[in-house]
PDB file of all heavy atoms in Angstrom:
ATOM      1  N   THR A   1       0.911  -1.196   0.102  1.00 49.00           N
ATOM      2  CA  THR A   1       0.032  -0.055   0.011  1.00 49.00           C
ATOM      3  C   THR A   1       0.847   1.234   0.029  1.00 49.00           C
ATOM      4  O   THR A   1       0.271   2.357   0.005  1.00 49.00           O
ATOM      5  CB  THR A   1      -0.906   0.039   1.202  1.00 49.00           C
ATOM      6  OG1 THR A   1      -0.100   0.006   2.402  1.00 49.00           O
ATOM      7  CG2 THR A   1      -1.849  -1.204   1.241  1.00 49.00           C
ATOM      8  N   VAL A   2       2.202   1.103  -0.047  1.00 46.00           N
ATOM      9  CA  VAL A   2       3.082   2.231   0.015  1.00 46.00           C
ATOM     10  C   VAL A   2       3.175   2.736  -1.444  1.00 46.00           C
ATOM     11  O   VAL A   2       3.353   1.954  -2.330  1.00 46.00           O
ATOM     12  CB  VAL A   2       4.457   1.820   0.529  1.00 46.00           C
ATOM     13  CG1 VAL A   2       5.428   3.011   0.532  1.00 46.00           C
ATOM     14  CG2 VAL A   2       4.329   1.326   1.934  1.00 46.00           C
ATOM     15  N   GLY A   3       3.199   4.123  -1.549  1.00 49.00           N
ATOM     16  CA  GLY A   3       3.317   4.636  -2.817  1.00 49.00           C
ATOM     17  C   GLY A   3       1.993   4.795  -3.674  1.00 49.00           C
ATOM     18  O   GLY A   3       0.923   4.328  -3.142  1.00 49.00           O
ATOM     19  N   PRO A   4       2.043   5.438  -4.835  1.00 55.00           N
ATOM     20  CA  PRO A   4       0.842   5.571  -5.643  1.00 55.00           C
ATOM     21  C   PRO A   4       0.239   4.244  -6.176  1.00 55.00           C
ATOM     22  O   PRO A   4       1.105   3.357  -6.406  1.00 55.00           O
ATOM     23  CB  PRO A   4       1.355   6.516  -6.750  1.00 55.00           C
ATOM     24  CG  PRO A   4       2.833   6.206  -6.873  1.00 55.00           C
ATOM     25  CD  PRO A   4       3.281   5.912  -5.476  1.00 55.00           C
ATOM     26  N   ASP A   5      -1.013   4.240  -6.356  1.00 63.00           N
ATOM     27  CA  ASP A   5      -1.574   3.023  -6.877  1.00 63.00           C
ATOM     28  C   ASP A   5      -1.604   3.075  -8.424  1.00 63.00           C
ATOM     29  O   ASP A   5      -1.098   4.052  -8.995  1.00 63.00           O
ATOM     30  CB  ASP A   5      -3.029   2.848  -6.334  1.00 63.00           C
ATOM     31  CG  ASP A   5      -3.988   3.985  -6.733  1.00 63.00           C
ATOM     32  OD1 ASP A   5      -3.555   4.761  -7.549  1.00 63.00           O
ATOM     33  OD2 ASP A   5      -5.026   4.192  -6.115  1.00 63.00           O
ATOM     34  N   GLY A   6      -2.156   2.136  -9.072  1.00 69.00           N
ATOM     35  CA  GLY A   6      -2.223   2.023 -10.484  1.00 69.00           C
ATOM     36  C   GLY A   6      -2.806   3.236 -11.197  1.00 69.00           C
ATOM     37  O   GLY A   6      -2.461   3.603 -12.331  1.00 69.00           O
ATOM     38  N   GLY A   7      -3.967   3.609 -10.565  1.00 79.00           N
ATOM     39  CA  GLY A   7      -4.650   4.800 -11.093  1.00 79.00           C
ATOM     40  C   GLY A   7      -3.806   5.994 -11.210  1.00 79.00           C
ATOM     41  O   GLY A   7      -3.822   6.775 -12.199  1.00 79.00           O
ATOM     42  N   VAL A   8      -3.095   6.384 -10.112  1.00 80.00           N
ATOM     43  CA  VAL A   8      -2.211   7.518 -10.033  1.00 80.00           C
ATOM     44  C   VAL A   8      -1.113   7.363 -11.062  1.00 80.00           C
ATOM     45  O   VAL A   8      -0.785   8.297 -11.761  1.00 80.00           O
ATOM     46  CB  VAL A   8      -1.743   7.681  -8.791  1.00 80.00           C
ATOM     47  CG1 VAL A   8      -0.649   8.853  -8.632  1.00 80.00           C
ATOM     48  CG2 VAL A   8      -2.872   7.998  -7.650  1.00 80.00           C
ATOM     49  N   ILE A   9      -0.469   6.223 -11.177  1.00 84.00           N
ATOM     50  CA  ILE A   9       0.557   6.005 -12.108  1.00 84.00           C
ATOM     51  C   ILE A   9       0.085   6.215 -13.582  1.00 84.00           C
ATOM     52  O   ILE A   9       0.733   6.785 -14.259  1.00 84.00           O
ATOM     53  CB  ILE A   9       1.185   4.549 -11.867  1.00 84.00           C
ATOM     54  CG1 ILE A   9       1.926   4.641 -10.639  1.00 84.00           C
ATOM     55  CG2 ILE A   9       2.143   4.247 -13.007  1.00 84.00           C
ATOM     56  CD1 ILE A   9       2.515   3.224 -10.268  1.00 84.00           C
ATOM     57  N   ALA A  10      -1.135   5.609 -13.795  1.00 86.00           N
ATOM     58  CA  ALA A  10      -1.638   5.764 -15.112  1.00 86.00           C
ATOM     59  C   ALA A  10      -1.939   7.198 -15.487  1.00 86.00           C
ATOM     60  O   ALA A  10      -1.699   7.695 -16.581  1.00 86.00           O
ATOM     61  CB  ALA A  10      -2.955   4.994 -15.281  1.00 86.00           C
ATOM     62  N   ALA A  11      -2.378   8.018 -14.492  1.00 86.00           N
ATOM     63  CA  ALA A  11      -2.629   9.414 -14.731  1.00 86.00           C
ATOM     64  C   ALA A  11      -1.320  10.257 -15.061  1.00 86.00           C
ATOM     65  O   ALA A  11      -1.321  11.091 -15.908  1.00 86.00           O
ATOM     66  CB  ALA A  11      -3.413   9.980 -13.556  1.00 86.00           C
ATOM     67  N   GLN A  12      -0.281   9.829 -14.274  1.00 85.00           N
ATOM     68  CA  GLN A  12       1.054  10.423 -14.555  1.00 85.00           C
ATOM     69  C   GLN A  12       1.483  10.134 -15.922  1.00 85.00           C
ATOM     70  O   GLN A  12       2.059  10.991 -16.661  1.00 85.00           O
ATOM     71  CB  GLN A  12       1.960  10.034 -13.492  1.00 85.00           C
ATOM     72  CG  GLN A  12       1.749  10.508 -12.039  1.00 85.00           C
ATOM     73  CD  GLN A  12       2.730   9.930 -11.135  1.00 85.00           C
ATOM     74  OE1 GLN A  12       3.620   9.077 -11.376  1.00 85.00           O
ATOM     75  NE2 GLN A  12       2.683  10.323  -9.789  1.00 85.00           N
ATOM     76  N   ALA A  13       1.231   8.790 -16.372  1.00 88.00           N
ATOM     77  CA  ALA A  13       1.861   8.392 -17.663  1.00 88.00           C
ATOM     78  C   ALA A  13       0.941   9.111 -18.767  1.00 88.00           C
ATOM     79  O   ALA A  13       1.530   9.536 -19.834  1.00 88.00           O
ATOM     80  CB  ALA A  13       1.567   6.910 -17.798  1.00 88.00           C
ATOM     81  N   GLU A  14      -0.379   9.298 -18.584  1.00 90.00           N
ATOM     82  CA  GLU A  14      -1.188  10.092 -19.562  1.00 90.00           C
ATOM     83  C   GLU A  14      -0.667  11.449 -19.791  1.00 90.00           C
ATOM     84  O   GLU A  14      -0.584  11.967 -20.910  1.00 90.00           O
ATOM     85  CB  GLU A  14      -2.633  10.060 -19.132  1.00 90.00           C
ATOM     86  CG  GLU A  14      -3.321   8.744 -19.195  1.00 90.00           C
ATOM     87  CD  GLU A  14      -3.723   8.411 -20.654  1.00 90.00           C
ATOM     88  OE1 GLU A  14      -3.550   9.312 -21.563  1.00 90.00           O
ATOM     89  OE2 GLU A  14      -4.246   7.381 -20.899  1.00 90.00           O
ATOM     90  N   VAL A  15      -0.378  12.217 -18.698  1.00 87.00           N
ATOM     91  CA  VAL A  15       0.104  13.525 -18.803  1.00 87.00           C
ATOM     92  C   VAL A  15       1.472  13.479 -19.594  1.00 87.00           C
ATOM     93  O   VAL A  15       1.736  14.385 -20.458  1.00 87.00           O
ATOM     94  CB  VAL A  15       0.300  14.210 -17.454  1.00 87.00           C
ATOM     95  CG1 VAL A  15       0.971  15.572 -17.499  1.00 87.00           C
ATOM     96  CG2 VAL A  15      -1.071  14.336 -16.790  1.00 87.00           C
ATOM     97  N   MET A  16       2.321  12.665 -19.201  1.00 88.00           N
ATOM     98  CA  MET A  16       3.717  12.566 -19.838  1.00 88.00           C
ATOM     99  C   MET A  16       3.554  12.218 -21.304  1.00 88.00           C
ATOM    100  O   MET A  16       4.195  12.883 -22.137  1.00 88.00           O
ATOM    101  CB  MET A  16       4.526  11.549 -19.028  1.00 88.00           C
ATOM    102  CG  MET A  16       5.932  11.346 -19.642  1.00 88.00           C
ATOM    103  SD  MET A  16       6.898  12.722 -19.329  1.00 88.00           S
ATOM    104  CE  MET A  16       8.560  12.159 -19.875  1.00 88.00           C
ATOM    105  N   TRP A  17       2.817  11.215 -21.559  1.00 90.00           N
ATOM    106  CA  TRP A  17       2.590  10.806 -22.987  1.00 90.00           C
ATOM    107  C   TRP A  17       1.989  11.873 -23.809  1.00 90.00           C
ATOM    108  O   TRP A  17       2.326  12.047 -25.005  1.00 90.00           O
ATOM    109  CB  TRP A  17       1.874   9.462 -23.078  1.00 90.00           C
ATOM    110  CG  TRP A  17       1.667   9.025 -24.478  1.00 90.00           C
ATOM    111  CD1 TRP A  17       0.401   8.772 -25.002  1.00 90.00           C
ATOM    112  CD2 TRP A  17       2.601   8.856 -25.436  1.00 90.00           C
ATOM    113  NE1 TRP A  17       0.622   8.385 -26.334  1.00 90.00           N
ATOM    114  CE2 TRP A  17       1.929   8.389 -26.661  1.00 90.00           C
ATOM    115  CE3 TRP A  17       3.997   8.868 -25.553  1.00 90.00           C
ATOM    116  CZ2 TRP A  17       2.476   8.169 -27.838  1.00 90.00           C
ATOM    117  CZ3 TRP A  17       4.612   8.639 -26.716  1.00 90.00           C
ATOM    118  CH2 TRP A  17       3.902   8.250 -27.858  1.00 90.00           C
ATOM    119  N   GLY A  18       1.128  12.630 -23.322  1.00 90.00           N
ATOM    120  CA  GLY A  18       0.475  13.674 -24.115  1.00 90.00           C
ATOM    121  C   GLY A  18       1.479  14.738 -24.554  1.00 90.00           C
ATOM    122  O   GLY A  18       1.457  15.116 -25.693  1.00 90.00           O
ATOM    123  N   GLN A  19       2.438  15.093 -23.594  1.00 88.00           N
ATOM    124  CA  GLN A  19       3.497  16.024 -24.042  1.00 88.00           C
ATOM    125  C   GLN A  19       4.445  15.459 -25.041  1.00 88.00           C
ATOM    126  O   GLN A  19       4.840  16.073 -26.026  1.00 88.00           O
ATOM    127  CB  GLN A  19       4.144  16.448 -22.722  1.00 88.00           C
ATOM    128  CG  GLN A  19       3.334  17.121 -21.741  1.00 88.00           C
ATOM    129  CD  GLN A  19       4.152  17.460 -20.443  1.00 88.00           C
ATOM    130  OE1 GLN A  19       5.290  17.741 -20.525  1.00 88.00           O
ATOM    131  NE2 GLN A  19       3.493  17.335 -19.267  1.00 88.00           N
ATOM    132  N   VAL A  20       4.841  14.205 -24.805  1.00 89.00           N
ATOM    133  CA  VAL A  20       5.708  13.502 -25.727  1.00 89.00           C
ATOM    134  C   VAL A  20       5.174  13.446 -27.115  1.00 89.00           C
ATOM    135  O   VAL A  20       5.889  13.644 -28.086  1.00 89.00           O
ATOM    136  CB  VAL A  20       6.124  12.121 -25.184  1.00 89.00           C
ATOM    137  CG1 VAL A  20       7.097  11.298 -26.125  1.00 89.00           C
ATOM    138  CG2 VAL A  20       6.924  12.271 -23.865  1.00 89.00           C
ATOM    139  N   ARG A  21       3.894  13.030 -27.204  1.00 91.00           N
ATOM    140  CA  ARG A  21       3.283  12.870 -28.432  1.00 91.00           C
ATOM    141  C   ARG A  21       3.239  14.112 -29.309  1.00 91.00           C
ATOM    142  O   ARG A  21       3.428  14.105 -30.520  1.00 91.00           O
ATOM    143  CB  ARG A  21       1.801  12.192 -28.353  1.00 91.00           C
ATOM    144  CG  ARG A  21       1.217  11.832 -29.617  1.00 91.00           C
ATOM    145  CD  ARG A  21      -0.200  11.175 -29.417  1.00 91.00           C
ATOM    146  NE  ARG A  21      -0.689  10.684 -30.634  1.00 91.00           N
ATOM    147  CZ  ARG A  21      -1.194  11.348 -31.731  1.00 91.00           C
ATOM    148  NH1 ARG A  21      -1.259  12.640 -31.490  1.00 91.00           N
ATOM    149  NH2 ARG A  21      -1.644  10.750 -32.694  1.00 91.00           N
ATOM    150  N   ILE A  22       2.892  15.245 -28.622  1.00 91.00           N
ATOM    151  CA  ILE A  22       2.818  16.547 -29.226  1.00 91.00           C
ATOM    152  C   ILE A  22       4.152  16.875 -29.836  1.00 91.00           C
ATOM    153  O   ILE A  22       4.365  17.347 -30.928  1.00 91.00           O
ATOM    154  CB  ILE A  22       2.255  17.586 -28.273  1.00 91.00           C
ATOM    155  CG1 ILE A  22       0.798  17.380 -28.081  1.00 91.00           C
ATOM    156  CG2 ILE A  22       2.469  19.065 -28.923  1.00 91.00           C
ATOM    157  CD1 ILE A  22       0.251  18.279 -26.924  1.00 91.00           C
ATOM    158  N   ALA A  23       5.310  16.636 -29.010  1.00 89.00           N
ATOM    159  CA  ALA A  23       6.628  17.037 -29.449  1.00 89.00           C
ATOM    160  C   ALA A  23       6.949  16.122 -30.695  1.00 89.00           C
ATOM    161  O   ALA A  23       7.650  16.651 -31.636  1.00 89.00           O
ATOM    162  CB  ALA A  23       7.541  16.792 -28.292  1.00 89.00           C
ATOM    163  N   SER A  24       6.606  14.834 -30.672  1.00 91.00           N
ATOM    164  CA  SER A  24       7.002  13.990 -31.774  1.00 91.00           C
ATOM    165  C   SER A  24       6.238  14.403 -33.047  1.00 91.00           C
ATOM    166  O   SER A  24       6.777  14.415 -34.126  1.00 91.00           O
ATOM    167  CB  SER A  24       6.671  12.513 -31.402  1.00 91.00           C
ATOM    168  OG  SER A  24       7.405  12.145 -30.290  1.00 91.00           O
ATOM    169  N   GLN A  25       4.911  14.783 -32.919  1.00 92.00           N
ATOM    170  CA  GLN A  25       4.146  15.280 -34.047  1.00 92.00           C
ATOM    171  C   GLN A  25       4.867  16.605 -34.678  1.00 92.00           C
ATOM    172  O   GLN A  25       4.974  16.563 -35.928  1.00 92.00           O
ATOM    173  CB  GLN A  25       2.687  15.610 -33.647  1.00 92.00           C
ATOM    174  CG  GLN A  25       1.874  16.135 -34.732  1.00 92.00           C
ATOM    175  CD  GLN A  25       1.518  15.151 -35.744  1.00 92.00           C
ATOM    176  OE1 GLN A  25       0.681  14.279 -35.411  1.00 92.00           O
ATOM    177  NE2 GLN A  25       2.128  15.169 -36.906  1.00 92.00           N
ATOM    178  N   VAL A  26       5.277  17.412 -33.743  1.00 92.00           N
ATOM    179  CA  VAL A  26       5.999  18.658 -34.286  1.00 92.00           C
ATOM    180  C   VAL A  26       7.189  18.219 -35.061  1.00 92.00           C
ATOM    181  O   VAL A  26       7.597  18.837 -36.107  1.00 92.00           O
ATOM    182  CB  VAL A  26       6.294  19.622 -33.236  1.00 92.00           C
ATOM    183  CG1 VAL A  26       7.120  20.752 -33.745  1.00 92.00           C
ATOM    184  CG2 VAL A  26       4.864  20.133 -32.601  1.00 92.00           C
TER     185      VAL A  26
END
C-alpha cells in the first residue's frame, strides 16, 4: 500500500505521454 496506486501511475503516464506525442508530431 506504499506509494501511488495504478490509477495515479496511469494518470502520470497520460500527462507525460500527451506532451511527448505533441513533441513527436511537431
Side-chain angles (χ1 to χ4, degrees):
T1 58
V2 179
D5 59 15
V8 174
I9 291 176
Q12 293 177 353
E14 285 284 352
V15 173
M16 179 70 175
W17 174 237
Q19 300 176 37
V20 173
R21 190 182 186 281
I22 292 174
S24 297
Q25 177 70 74
V26 173

